Amino acid sequence: MVFATDFDPLEQPQRHQTSDLSKIKSATDLGTHQTYDDLPVATRQRRQPSGHGQLRKGQLSASQTRRARAKEAEAQRIVTEAAIAEFERDASVAQQQSAQKGNAQKGSSVLTIHASSSTESATKPLSFSKRASLPFGLTLLNRMQQGSAVVATALISSALLLYGSTVYVDKSTSRALIQLDALQSESQQLTTANEAIKQSLAEQATLEDSGLELYEAGDVLFLAPEPVREAKPLPEETTEKLQPLGY
Amino acid sequence: MAASTDSRTDSRTRRRKSARRPKSTKLNTPRATPEAIQEFRTKSPRLRLISVWLVLILGMVGLGGRLAYLQLMIGGDLKLMAEEQQAIQATPRTSRRQMVDRQGNVVAMDRVMYTLYVHPMLFKRSGEAIAQALSSVLETDPHELVEDFGEQESGIKLAEDISEETAKRLRGLRLDGLDLRPSPQRVYPQGELFSQVTGYIDLDGAPKAGIEIELEDALKYNEPKSEVEALQIVTRDDLQMQLTIDSRLQRIAQENLAATVAEYNAKRGALIVMDSKTGEILTLAVAPTYDPNRYYDAEVEYFKNWAVSDLYEPGSTFKPINVAIALENNAISPNDTIYDEGRIQVGEWPIQNVDFKYIGGRGPISITDVLRYSSNVGMVHIMEKMQRSTYYEWLEKLGLGNATGIELPGEANGQIKERDQFVNSAVEAATTSFGQGFSLTPLQLVQLHGTLANGGMKVTPHVVRGMVNGEGELTWSPERSAPKRVFSPETTRQVLNMMQDVVDDGTGSAAKVDGYQIAGKTGTAQKATEYGTYGNQRITSFVSIAPVSDPRYVVLAVVDEPQGENAYGGTVAAPLVKKMLESLVVLEGVAPDEVASGKQQSSPAEAESN
């Protein structure tokens, strides 16, 4: 199969050789044990300039090769007749006509190229003014497929992110909770110890041999604050300029 | 191919070659000729396609079926398993908020305690080995442990109240079959100092007595719902309930009260200090008391705070209130004279002064002297000048017969006679005038004297300041009724001056404190026996207001049934109040009365520094 967008007639000459080589390889791989030498000469010749995109894609079945060969024989006949008839016409006119004619008919355009390139010795570079375009429905579907591919990628990545985040959040929460538990335990133990120390100190203080006494009324001094004095002005500093002493 | 075989075996095996040819086409050549293979492949790509599609479809159906099975059939079980695995089990360390005193010292807190269960069916080692290991940590006899293991297969409770450190050591033993269950337990670090205020929590976790039961809703954390238990523990607040009680004063009060009660072999005693400006109770010491950490060792009657829930007849300590009522009512004026016969007859009841036997009647005395000598007859004459119905209204206005509204449970309402009985009988008003014939709680007496101290406002005494957060800000305080005005400031000032003479020169002279002017009143009331008559047991009390120049604190000491000859309010209770006042003025920074002028006190200090 070839996708219509992939087909670029301008590049056909390069593709011919590669497709041939691959096709020949595939033909041998099929176990037909037919080498290139076994093929009839006519086929060999015919195969070389072939522009069929479908042959480029690799392995063919036996029936397909036969069909291709039959098609080629037919095409060759037609082409030689047409080439002789149209040879007088300008090559560019022929190109334009072929371009304007049904572009979907890739077979026919190929054949026309085939004709001009096989009959002419000096081939002019061909340029198409317009590329082959598809019906609107297919383009739309194509665009939709691309868009949905993007959306699918985005959704999948976000789903993975979410999943990862749930696992991560759970793990970090449990770690934090373990830390909190440890801190709470520590705080409880510290408070208990602190209060126990205070209690034992107080109990020791009330014992007779502690050297501590109960408060008495004169134990605290009450001082009345002095009234606020106004700030004394600082004496101005008189900087004496020393006379330069010379010795 | 045929050509090559021919050339090789030509001479020898011609016959064999020919015989073999039909076989050789089957054996020596591959099973399928290239053409056959091509034929198959070109003929039925559809078959291959369909088979691939079938495989894929079968895979998808299989996966879909497995998904349906996992989600629909065993989805619930798997969810439970996942939750069990994921949910972090938070140890329940606290179930109640802490209580702190006025300075922030912790009075009541939760601590996690573990209970050790063993399941012998999960033991990987022998029972004796495990018993040996456990006995070294738990310090019990290994043989007993082995016996215990034989009781059941699982769920044997071995030890309770295991502390966190011991639990860590037990876990470090790494034995299978041990199960440590945590639970929070209430601990009171101050021991029996605050027991009458906080109450206690029993072994089942239910609060009994005190603020624990009264304000349980404010103290208890909300129960975490089962699903997000651990996270809810994170959201718990760190509020503490702050009490108004000062633990230093409480400790001094408790020590001295216990000493006095022991010295006079009294049945019980109470020492209350209240800040009359706000109604905050700084000290609520009760003897005898109990240790809430070991409440099961105490007598049941100690759990009740008798300063709040027991009624008694106040006796002479109520006289200043009566004088204030009379003054406020303009029934008397401060410079009036009252004739004191020493003994009178009201109806069929004789009423006499306490010291009538020694001194007899005193004759005309001032109102101040009535208080100074605590003359019952004088008081009867003072209150006679008021209408009994007005007098009764005043008693109701002061709240006699009702509770004060403190946040302690079991507060008793005072008892006064019915209005008709009071109004119609002269003896009721007479006995009420010297503080007998009705009853109230010691706390209510403190509240009433608070009205004299703060210039005539009846405040609600309370022990709970409210809930404070980590920064010390008050976030909640219990609802209290607003202070009510009952007396005018002039009346209270006059009564206070009279009360000051009681301490300076009267029955309350044992409570004198150097440098301070103290106002007070002794009270020695006879207790009614169970037969309704007055026996020879007394209840002695002394109430004091300090300092007179700027009255603020009310101190009441009550000692119930002190034994001995010299057991009066002035001898038993007044010295107790003096000790309390001395510490109070130091710790609360109450300036002595001379320093109001500012000069005398500071000059010695200046002289010393110079």
Side-chain angles (χ1 to χ4, degrees), chain B residues 183-431:
Chain B
S183 67
Q185 190 198 55
R186 198 73 156 159
V187 164
Y188 301 92
Q190 311 261 2
E192 50 178 50
L193 201 60
F194 282 84
S195 57
Q196 296 290 342
V197 173
T198 61
Y200 66 96
I201 308 266
D202 66 4
L203 292 173
D204 301 328
K208 303 255 188 289
I211 296 177
E212 293 276 14
I213 197 173
E214 191 73 8
L215 293 176
E216 191 192 0
D217 301 333
L219 281 174
K220 209 165 160 54
Y221 284 119
N222 292 332
E223 281 297 326
K225 285 137 209 139
S226 55
E227 288 192 358
V228 276
E229 178 176 332
L231 291 177
Q232 285 193 331
I233 288 179
V234 174
T235 61
R236 273 188 181 163
D237 51 49
D238 61 346
L239 293 176
Q240 296 171 319
M241 176 171 284
Q242 190 169 35
L243 306 177
T244 58
I245 304 214
D246 186 335
S247 62
R248 305 166 296 179
L249 290 171
Q250 179 84 359
R251 194 175 292 279
I252 293 167
Q254 194 79 46
E255 293 284 325
N256 291 319
L257 179 66
T260 306
V261 166
E263 185 187 335
Y264 287 95
N265 231 353
K267 187 168 134 194
R268 54 193 186 178
L271 184 48
I272 306 176
V273 175
M274 185 177 88
D275 179 352
S276 64
K277 292 244 162 58
T278 56
E280 290 181 349
I281 296 202
L282 295 172
T283 304
L284 184 55
V286 170
T289 187
Y290 64 99
D291 183 1
N293 294 313
R294 307 230 312 279
Y295 67 93
Y296 32 80
D297 287 344
E299 308 280 333
V300 178
E301 51 259 20
Y302 300 169
F303 297 157
K304 174 188 62 163
N305 187 345
W306 83 268
V308 162
S309 56
D310 276 6
L311 301 170
Y312 82 115
E313 294 183 348
S316 308
T317 47
F318 196 74
K319 286 176 185 167
I321 313 282
N322 279 329
V323 170
I325 294 174
L327 282 173
E328 188 73 19
N329 232 24
N330 290 323
I332 56 166
S333 72
N335 302 321
D336 277 0
T337 337
I338 303 288
Y339 192 81
D340 181 8
E341 299 95 333
R343 185 198 175 104
I344 55 168
Q345 190 90 0
V346 176
E348 43 194 52
W349 304 97
I351 292 176
Q352 66 184 36
N353 293 341
V354 170
D355 51 3
F356 176 69
K357 273 191 236 148
Y358 310 108
I359 297 189
R362 286 196 169 87
I365 48 175
S366 64
I367 312 283
T368 312
D369 286 338
V370 170
L371 283 181
R372 191 193 307 204
Y373 300 124
S374 200
S375 161
N376 296 341
V377 173
M379 285 308 301
V380 172
H381 287 316
I382 290 175
M383 300 321 288
E384 270 174 354
K385 297 184 196 238
M386 271 179 66
Q387 284 223 333
R388 287 205 277 271
S389 53
T390 323
Y391 189 19
Y392 193 80
E393 274 167 25
W394 265 104
L395 294 178
E396 281 181 331
K397 188 171 159 189
L398 287 174
L400 287 182
N402 298 328
T404 58
I406 195 173
E407 312 95 337
L408 291 173
E411 195 186 0
N413 294 342
Q415 282 179 0
I416 55 172
K417 299 289 193 308
E418 290 293 327
R419 190 199 173 83
D420 299 333
Q421 191 181 3
F422 190 86
V423 171
N424 294 331
S425 151
V427 72
E428 294 302 334
T431 53

Side-chain angles (χ1 to χ4, degrees), chain A residues 30 33 50 63 134 145 165 197 203 209 217 228 232 234 239:
Chain A
L30 283 173
H33 303 286
S50 141
S63 53
L134 298 169
Q145 186 264 335
S165 78
I197 288 172
E203 277 170 8
D209 55 351
V228 179
K232 266 197 285 187
L234 290 169
T239 46

Side-chain angles (χ1 to χ4, degrees), chain B residues 47-58:
Chain B
L47 196 60
R48 234 182 342 152
L49 208 58
I50 289 176
S51 60
V52 167
W53 177 84
L54 256 179
V55 165
L56 289 177
I57 289 292
L58 275 175

